[in-house]
Amino acid sequence: MIKRIAVFASGFGSNLQAIIDYNKNHSLNGEIALVFSNNKDAYALSRAKENNIKSIFFNPSDYGTREEFDKKIIELLEEEKIDLVVLAGYMFLVNPGFVRKFKNRILNIHPALLPSFKGTHGIKDAYEYGVKVTGVTVHFVDEGLDSGPIIIQKAVDINQDESMEELEEKIHCVEHEIYPLAVKYFCEDRLKIEGRKVKILNKMI
Ligand code: GRF
């Protein structure tokens, strides 16, 4: 069965674009049914429109409480019969209630090798710390911060004369390579969670 995917993005949406492109060129066994944003100016929403994908914006400040905002999103996802939520630069923490509702059906990408450099500045924090190797992590979302079971990680070397901008570019390239794969594995029912560990059945990389 083709899985119905909702991508949540607050900004530029290059990961959204990578997932759209992968689906066009290789197939995810999934359909990007909608793109949701908490930011009306997110370029991700324009990308959705350009690709004839339903785009939805809800303004968090229109809702009295976080629970009301989440309720509205959950209603939307249920109406659209969404199987998988893909967070792609969604800069708005997802609440535990939402995570419980979509348990093991929310993915996130983090621009560092978790559990190192959690939080919103993964690239900068790794660069400034002086690590020689950083990378990208795709993981399931649980109720903690960047703490769910890891699906794919790929390392990126930090060369000594490299600027942070150069590192950012390398990290984004790797993101665009591995996020569509993780989505595809999910859509093909190839991810098996065993405690903290995720097994990929018939792994390609
Ligand atoms: C990516 O670096 C991702 O790892 C992080 O937010 C950024 C989103 O970039 N979670 P984009 O909006 O997909 O271009």
Side-chain angles (χ1 to χ4, degrees):
M1 266 271 280
I2 293 273
K3 299 269 195 288
R4 289 178 60 76
I5 304 165
V7 179
F8 284 28
S10 305
F12 187 53
S14 68
N15 281 283
L16 163 68
Q17 190 67 53
I19 293 167
I20 292 172
D21 292 345
Y22 189 97
N23 209 16
K24 279 189 190 149
N25 300 328
H26 308 277
S27 172
L28 293 165
N29 200 32
E31 178 193 350
I32 305 163
L34 70 96
V35 172
F36 171 77
S37 190
N38 62 322
N39 168 17
K40 72 171 174 11
D41 298 321
Y43 186 53
L45 291 174
S46 309
R47 294 183 192 268
K49 286 177 199 135
E50 276 161 26
N51 287 278
N52 300 315
I53 299 169
K54 187 171 197 168
S55 60
I56 309 266
F57 156 69
F58 295 155
N59 187 346
S61 53
D62 288 346
Y63 299 85
T65 63
R66 186 54 205 257
E67 284 65 33
E68 283 172 39
F69 181 68
D70 284 353
K71 189 166 167 265
K72 180 86 183 161
I73 298 178
I74 290 169
E75 275 169 18
L76 167 73
L77 298 181
E78 287 179 341
E79 261 167 41
E80 291 287 336
K81 301 192 175 7
I82 295 301
D83 299 299
L84 171 67
V85 175
V86 173
L87 306 183
Y90 185 60
M91 307 310 274
F92 200 63
L93 277 184
V94 288
N95 262 6
F98 181 81
V99 174
R100 280 195 293 273
K101 190 86 194 169
F102 281 84
K103 192 171 160 51
N104 297 339
R105 294 196 292 143
I106 311 173
L107 306 187
N108 184 42
I109 188 155
H110 184 75
L113 292 178
L114 292 173
S116 292
F117 307 113
K118 293 180 176 188
T120 39
H121 304 290
I123 303 177
K124 181 168 179 273
D125 292 346
Y127 185 81
E128 287 179 353
Y129 194 91
V131 292
K132 309 278 183 185
V133 178
T134 182
V136 177
T137 305
V138 180
H139 62 95
F140 281 104
V141 173
D142 67 5
E143 292 176 32
L145 174 69
D146 297 329
S147 60
I150 290 170
I151 301 167
I152 303 180
Q153 285 189 305
K154 190 159 177 184
V156 172
D157 286 334
I158 305 181
N159 302 321
Q160 57 187 11
D161 297 321
E162 192 162 87
S163 67
M164 199 169 87
E165 291 68 34
E166 285 166 327
L167 174 63
E168 272 169 356
E169 214 177 301
K170 277 161 55 179
I171 293 275
H172 293 315
C173 274
V174 171
E175 290 183 337
H176 303 158
E177 179 194 336
I178 68 172
Y179 211 4
L181 274 186
V183 172
K184 174 187 165 72
Y185 292 150
F186 181 95
C187 291
E188 294 179 347
D189 292 320
R190 289 164 61 189
L191 299 179
K192 195 160 169 245
I193 305 177
E194 294 175 350
R196 274 217 55 84
K197 299 192 181 161
V198 180
K199 269 197 187 149
I200 301 172
L201 310 175
N202 306 317
K203 201 163 168 284
M204 281 164 15
I205 61 162

